Amino acid sequence: MEIVMAFVIGFLFMAATYLMLSRSLLRIIIGTGLLSHGAHLLILTMGGLGGEAPPVLADGVEASQFADPLPQALILTAIVISFGVTAFILVLAYRAYQSLETDNTTLMKGSDDDAQ
Amino acid sequence: MNLIVAIFLPILAAFFIPLLYKRVKSLHTGWFVLLVPLSLFLFYTTFVKQVANGETFTSTFHWVESLQLSFISYIDGLSLLFSLLITGIGSLVVLYSIFYLDKSKEQLHNFYVYLLLFMSAMLGVVQSDHVITLYLFWELTSISSFLLIAYWFNRDASRFGALKSMMITVFGGLLMLGGFVLLSMMGDTYSIRELIAQAPQLAEHEYFTWALILVLFGAFTKSAQGPFYIWLPDAMEAPTPVSAYLHSATMVKAGIYLVARFTPIFASSELWIWLVTATGLFTLVWCSFFALKQTDLKGILAFSTVSQLGLIMALLGAGSMSYHVDGAAETVFKYAAFAAIFHLINHATFKGSLFMIVGIVDHETGTRDIKKLGGLMSIMPISFTVAMIGSLSMAGVPLFNGFLSKEMFLTAMLSITEFGLFSFDTFGVLFPIIAWIASVFTFAYSLYFVTHTFMGTYKPDALPKKAHEAPIGMLISPIVLAALVIVIFFIPNIVATYFIKPAVLAIQPFLYSDVSQIDVHISAWHGFTTELWMTLGIFVVGGLAVMTLKKWQHFYNRVPAGFNMLYDAAINVSDTGMNRLSRLYMTGSNQTYLLYMFASFVVLVIGTLFTQGGFTMSWAHTAPIRFYDLVLIAVLVSGTLIALVTKSRLTSIIGLGVVGYSVAMFFVIFNAPDLALTQLVIETISVALFLLCFYHLPKNSRKENRMRFQVPRFIISVAVGATVTLVAIAAQSQKMMTSISEYYKETVYSLAGGGNIVNVILVDYRGFDTLFEIAVLAIAGLGIFAMIKLRIGDKGKEKKQLENK
C-alpha cells in the first residue's frame, strides 16, 4: 500500500507544481492547496500505514497495534498552518484583484516605472 | 594581555568620539583623539631598550579556541619599529589635522572614528603573529582607507578613488589569504614564527611557489608596486592628513612589512628574489619618471611615494640574496636589508613633512596646481624651509638623512653585479644602471616640486585665496619631522642601534643570532668610491633635467595611460557584463523563479539519493492493499484531474474540495480519527472561503482562460512528482532506525497521564510548538483583518483616472 501511495503522492505533487507554474492567481492557490494535501499524505505514509488501531490507549489494544502517533501530530499541526496560509493568500489575492483589477501575475508585476 | 589591549585601544576610544563631538562643541575633537596615539607612542617607547638588546614580547588572547583563532601580539624589532611609526606619525598627523580640518564645517566624528579604526587595524597588522588575524587586520586597513579616501563623499573623484583603492587592495588581500592558507597547511600552524622555524622544509613543499606568489600579490597591491601602483595617485582625493598618514607613512608600507616579515620563509627561492627586486626596481624607475608629468602637488608626491616604496622593495629583494652567498660577498648583501629599514624610517620623516607642507599650501592658497603656484618663498618662509629640507632629503643630498640611505641603496645595487646565481651574472649589470636612472628622476622631481612651488614668480591672480603663512599649530608637525630629517643625518648609528638593527634581526634571523653581530656602520663619507661618482652624476643630470623640463615635458602626452586604461576596462566589462548576465536569468517573472526552485529541488534531491545509494524498493513491511483504498485513490485522482483541466472556477474549487475530503477519508481508514475530524472541518471552511473570494467576483472572471499546454512546465512537474515518489519509496524501503514514537507510546500514560497519544504530543510533549502554531494563526488572522479593513490608496484606479483625463 505504501508503494502505491507513493505514486499517488507523486501525482498530487505533479499536479500541484503544474498549477503553481501558471499565471492565474486562483490556479496558484489551488496548486498550493494540492501541495499541502500531498505533503500531509507523504508524512502519513512515511510513518507506515500498517496500524490496526487509532493511537488511543484502550483496553485490549497492544502498543504495537497503534498507528504511528508522531506523523499524526505533525500533520495536525501542518493542517492548521496550511489553512492559515491558504486563508491569508486567498484574502491577499482578493485584495490584489480589487486594487489591480487583474489576477494575472505577469500583469500584476507592472513595470519599473510604476514603483516610482 | 597589555599588548592586545594596546592594539584595540584606538577602536575602544573611537566609541566615545561621536559623543564627545556632539557634546563638546567648544573644543576641537582632535584634541581628545590626540591622547590615544600619543599615549600609545609613549607606551611603545618603553620597549625600545629591551628590544634593542634582542628581547621579544608576546601576549595572546584566545578568540575562537576551537578554530585555533587567537590574537597573538608579537613585539620584535620589526613590529616595534612599525608600531612606533604608526603611533608617532599618527600623533603628528592628528595634531596637524586639528588645524587642517575646520571644526564647524567638517564631519569630525566620522573622520576621527575612521582614523582610529585604521590605527588599530595597522597595529594589528604589524604585531599579529597569527596569519588569519593578520589577514583580518589587513582587510580592516583597506576598509578604513576606503572610508577615509571617500571622506568628502559628495565628490565624484573621492568615491572613484576610494573604490579603486578598495578593489585593488582587497583583490590582493584575498589572494594573500590563499597564500596564508597554503602556508598554514604546509607547516600545520598559523603562527608566523613557527612557520619561519620550519622554513627549509616549507621550501621543498609542492605548494611553496604558489604560496609565494599569492603572498606577494597581497604585498604588491597594498604597497602599490608594479602595475598596481595606479590606485595610489587616485587615493590622493583623501584629506591631506590622511594622505600623509595612510598613503605615505603607514598603510602603504604594510606590503613592505609583509615582504620583510616573510623574507626568512621565502628568501631561499630564486623566484622571490627576482620578483621582489625586479618589481621594486621597475616601480622605482617607472613612477619616478611619471612624477615629473604631474601638475598636482599631491600627484607628484603620490608617484614619488610609490617609487620610493619600490626602492625599499628592491632593497629587500637584494637583502634576500644574502641567504645564497657566503664569505666576503655576504656582508655586501647584508647591507641591503639594513638599508631598506633605514630608508623606510627616512622616507616616513621626509615624505610626511612634504605631504603636510602640500596640505598647508593647499589650505593657504586654495590650489595644489603647480602651474598656478610659484614664488611662495617670501610669503611662506617656514613652509619653504621645511619643504626644502624634505625635498633635498628625498633627492639624496648630503646633510639630510635621505643621502645616507640613497648611498647604501647604490652600494646594494652595485653589488648585485657580483651575485653569480640565478642568471644575475648576465642581467645583474642592468640593476645599477636602472637604479641610477631612477635616482636622476628622483632628484629631478624633488627639485621640480620645491622650485615650481616656492621659487619663480608669484602669481596672485591665479590663486583662489590670498596666500599667507600657515598658523603655528599647523607647522609644528612638519617642523618636527623636518628636524628629524637633519638629526638622523648626524646620529645615524644611534638610530641604527635602537631601531634598525633589531628590525634587521627579524628579517634575517638565519644570518644573525644576536643584535651585536650586525656590524654595519653608517658613515656619510666613504672616500672617492663608485657611489660618490654616481651621486655626483645624479646631481648634474637631474639638475639639467629640471632646468630643461619645459622643453621635453610635452613628451609625456604621447605615452598612453597603460595600466589605468586596463583597470577602467576591467571595471567596465565586469559592470556591464554582470548586468547582462543577471538580466539573462533574472526575468522578473514569478514563473521563471519557481521553475528554478523546482528544478534545483529535483537536482539536489535526486543527486543526494544517487550519491547515497537511496534507490531501493522493497515491499516488505507494507500494509495490504484493500478494495476501498483503491476506490478512494480513484476519487482523489479524479478530483485532482478536475482541478487541473477545468476552465470554470467553481469546478476547480470543487475539485480541490474533493481532494480534501478524500484525504480526510484516508485519515479515517488509516486510523487517524483526530486528523480526519480536523481535515473535514478545515476543508469545509476552506471551500467556503474559496467560494467567497473567487466566486463572488465579477461575472467575466468566473471562467479561467484555457491553460495552454507548455512542455517545460510539464517536464518540471513530472520531475517533481517523480522525485517525491522516489523519496517516499526510498524512505519506506529502508528504515535506518526505530521510530521515536515508541517513546511516546510507552510514556504517554506514566508521564503525561493521557490516553490520546496524538493530543498529548501536541499539548504536552510539544506544547511550545503548538503555542507557536497558534501564534502563526493569530498573525495570519491579523493580516487578513488588516487587509480587509485597510483601504490604501488605489493605485490602479488613480492611474486609470489619469489616463482618462
Side-chain angles (χ1 to χ4, degrees), chain A residues 1-15 17-27 29-30 33-34 37 40-42 44-57 63 66-73 75-77 79-81 83-84 86-88 90-95 97-99 101 103 105-106 109 114, chain B residues 588 591 594 598 619 622-625 629 633 636-637 640 646 649 652 656 659-660 666-667 670-673 675 678-679 682-683 685-686 689-690 693-694 697 701 704-705 707-710 713-714 717-718 720-721 724-725 728-729 731-732 735 739-741 744-745 749 754-755 757-758 761-762 773 776-777 780 783-784 787 790-791 794 796 799-800:
Chain A
M1 187 62 207
E2 280 86 344
I3 306 289
V4 178
M5 284 305 284
F7 284 96
V8 174
I9 293 161
F11 179 71
L12 269 177
F13 268 85
M14 187 202 87
T17 311
Y18 195 78
L19 285 172
M20 283 167 77
L21 287 173
S22 90
R23 290 208 165 76
S24 149
L25 263 187
L26 182 69
R27 284 199 175 119
I29 301 172
I30 289 182
L34 287 179
H37 288 319
H40 298 160
L41 284 180
L42 181 65
L44 192 74
T45 312
M46 296 264 177
L49 302 172
E52 289 160 28
V56 178
L57 297 188
F66 290 147
D68 198 339
L70 191 62
Q72 296 195 13
I75 295 168
L76 203 57
T77 312
I79 290 175
V80 178
I81 294 280
F83 166 70
T86 311
F88 186 83
L90 263 177
V91 178
L92 186 66
Y94 177 66
R95 287 285 293 141
Y97 189 93
Q98 277 190 328
S99 300
E101 295 179 353
D103 64 347
T105 50
T106 316
K109 187 171 63 122
D114 292 349
Chain B
Q591 276 78 36
L594 277 173
F598 285 127
W619 286 87
T622 50
I625 304 172
D629 293 348
I633 288 174
L636 187 137
V637 170
T640 315
T646 182
R649 294 194 154 177
S652 63
L656 180 65
V659 176
F666 269 117
F667 291 151
F670 291 129
N671 289 312
L675 297 192
T678 318
Q679 178 72 25
I682 295 270
E683 200 54 44
I685 304 175
S686 291
L689 249 176
F690 265 99
C693 283
F694 268 83
L697 287 176
S701 61
E704 291 279 331
N705 293 327
M707 214 172 7
R708 264 176 299 137
F709 182 78
Q710 284 182 327
R713 230 206 263 175
F714 180 72
S717 319
V718 170
V720 169
V724 174
T725 305
I729 292 174
Q732 165 61 30
K735 299 271 184 208
S739 167
I740 51 169
S741 309
Y744 295 123
K745 285 182 193 170
Y749 196 75
I757 307 177
V758 176
I761 290 176
L762 284 178
E773 178 200 341
V776 170
L777 269 191
I784 291 168
M787 277 194 288
L790 287 180
R791 288 281 180 270
D794 248 308
K799 220 177 186 186
K800 260 205 179 142

